[in-house]
Amino acid sequence: TEPNSGLNHFRYAITHGIPVLPLMQEPGLTARFNEVCGNIQFLDKYFTIPEDFDINKYVDLSFGIWNNKEPAIEYELLFSKEVSTYIMEREWHSNQIIEQKNDGSVLLKFSSNQKQQVLSWILGFGNVVKVLNPPELVKAVKEKAMLMLKTYD
């Protein structure tokens, strides 16, 4: 049966066999989601989100809606002066710290639990960004760069 209405009561919904986040059940978002992904099927089952639930522990909306239970990692990126204006005028992450250096480069710091999405985002900047931390990300970028070079041999 349908529970009492409230902000923390939702119907289960799926599309293409994939569960849909409750936020997609907001008025207007369901129609937009149907346009993009196809038919949403609302099931005759309901659930209640616990009062202490914090979606930010599982997804980092700055880098997508990927469920990840790993703790956040601190990132430090140094962007060259060629892209300094582009980097400085945007909010890349809600917890970012951004600082322009004397040489015109820009230091961007933030934390996120979305390692794979952060890696992909960084790779998109090519040679105008240098990863300073964490060391695992420095290694991952180097490995991806070597694989890209091999593609053109």
Side-chain angles (χ1 to χ4, degrees), residues 4-144:
N4 294 332
S5 64
L7 294 177
N8 62 343
H9 295 287
F10 297 94
R11 282 177 81 176
Y12 281 100
I14 60 171
T15 182
H16 304 287
I18 301 169
V20 178
L21 284 174
L23 64 92
M24 299 311 300
Q25 296 177 44
E26 294 289 325
L29 288 179
T30 301
R32 177 67 182 130
F33 192 80
N34 272 330
E35 288 176 23
V36 175
C37 296
N39 294 330
I40 294 178
Q41 297 173 320
F42 288 98
L43 308 179
D44 289 329
K45 292 181 178 181
Y46 293 82
F47 67 98
T48 301
I49 297 175
E51 299 247 346
D52 63 346
F53 178 76
D54 180 5
I55 195 166
N56 295 312
K57 291 181 181 176
Y58 302 95
V59 297
D60 179 350
L61 296 177
S62 295
F63 286 100
I65 57 168
W66 306 103
N67 183 0
N68 186 346
K69 295 180 183 177
E70 294 183 26
I73 297 171
E74 297 294 323
Y75 294 94
E76 291 184 37
L77 311 172
L78 186 64
F79 290 88
S80 68
K81 65 181 176 183
E82 289 81 15
V83 293
S84 63
T85 301
Y86 180 68
I87 298 303
M88 293 285 293
E89 67 186 11
R90 285 171 174 71
E91 180 178 288
W92 299 100
H93 199 282
S94 60
N95 66 24
Q96 76 183 28
I97 297 171
I98 195 163
E99 172 189 341
Q100 189 157 27
K101 301 292 190 177
N102 291 336
D103 65 0
S105 63
V106 176
L107 179 64
L108 175 64
K109 297 179 184 181
F110 62 92
S111 61
S112 175
N113 69 347
Q114 301 297 312
K115 287 191 292 191
Q116 186 58 44
Q117 288 70 32
V118 171
L119 173 61
S120 295
W121 177 72
I122 290 167
L123 290 172
F125 283 99
N127 69 334
V128 298
V129 65
K130 180 177 182 179
V131 177
L132 304 177
N133 274 306
E136 313 88 65
L137 185 60
V138 173
K139 181 181 176 188
V141 169
K142 286 180 180 180
E143 289 171 356
K144 291 289 186 185

